[in-house]
Amino acid sequence: MTPIAWRRAVPEDAPALSVLGGATFLASFAHDHPGDALIDHIRHAHGEAYYLAALADPEQTVLIGETPLGAAVGYALITPPDLPVPTDGDDVELKRIYLLPGWQGGGNGDRLMELVTAEAKARQAKRLLLAVYPENERARRFYARHGFAQIGEMTFMVGAVPFRDLIYARTL
């Protein structure tokens, strides 16, 4: 498997993050999300403007993984919590964590979660939160392996279509 080099993303990475975000979201959810809603969501939630704003915000961190030739194949977005559960200043949210299918397995996800955990600890977070689609069994197993447990539920909008998400937390 081609190795991945991880680093903090910079504003010049916004175009790559937009393409990568759209591609990974499509690969993960095209099997059971309506096409029009899926495309609408990707255009808004994974546009370059979204990533430029995230990269400009000092409270958000984007980690990007690239092949030796510079192709973006994975990323994680860490933000202040924006989930419908009680939180405090000691929590951070893992808003997004994705790898292209060809780079899943082989420890790449584990390495990315290590980097996310290190970032959360550097922020002096006591708890790491995330939301996951209940039908995404592979992701749920991955999170359980990394010490996450369900603490709530929420509605996640894909375009104008509501989906149920589970909220997980892990004590750091």
Side-chain angles (χ1 to χ4, degrees):
M1 182 178 293
T2 305
I4 298 175
W6 296 100
R7 63 177 175 80
R8 283 182 180 268
V10 295
E12 293 76 19
D13 293 316
L17 288 165
S18 176
V19 171
L20 180 60
T24 54
F25 199 86
L26 190 61
S28 298
F29 302 110
H31 69 282
D32 71 351
H33 284 50
D36 289 343
L38 191 62
I39 296 303
D40 182 55
H41 174 79
I42 289 169
R43 288 163 86 204
H44 292 95
H46 292 280
E48 283 186 39
Y50 176 88
Y51 289 102
L52 281 171
L55 292 164
D57 183 346
E59 292 191 23
Q60 298 189 50
T61 300
V62 182
L63 303 172
I64 188 169
E66 300 171 318
T67 67
L69 296 176
V73 296
Y75 76 109
L77 172 60
I78 303 145
T79 68
D82 183 25
L83 297 166
V85 293
T87 61
D88 60 34
D90 293 333
D91 294 334
V92 295
E93 180 181 349
L94 177 54
K95 175 86 60 196
R96 297 180 179 167
I97 182 169
Y98 286 106
L99 285 165
L100 287 173
W103 282 266
Q104 294 175 4
N108 290 321
D110 293 333
R111 177 64 183 137
L112 182 51
M113 185 60 79
E114 288 173 9
L115 294 170
V116 165
T117 301
E119 174 66 21
K121 288 179 178 179
R123 293 176 181 218
Q124 300 181 337
K126 302 284 190 262
R127 196 167 64 151
L128 184 58
L129 307 171
L130 60 85
V132 61
Y133 184 46
E135 306 304 318
N136 191 343
E137 288 294 329
R138 185 175 183 173
R140 291 177 63 201
R141 285 191 306 272
F142 175 79
Y143 297 137
R145 224 176 46 245
H146 286 276
F148 287 87
Q150 183 179 345
I151 63 166
E153 293 186 15
M154 65 181 273
T155 299
F156 180 80
M157 299 301 292
V158 176
V161 180
F163 287 88
R164 180 175 157 254
D165 268 3
L166 305 176
I167 300 171
Y168 281 16
R170 171 187 170 191
T171 302
L172 299 174

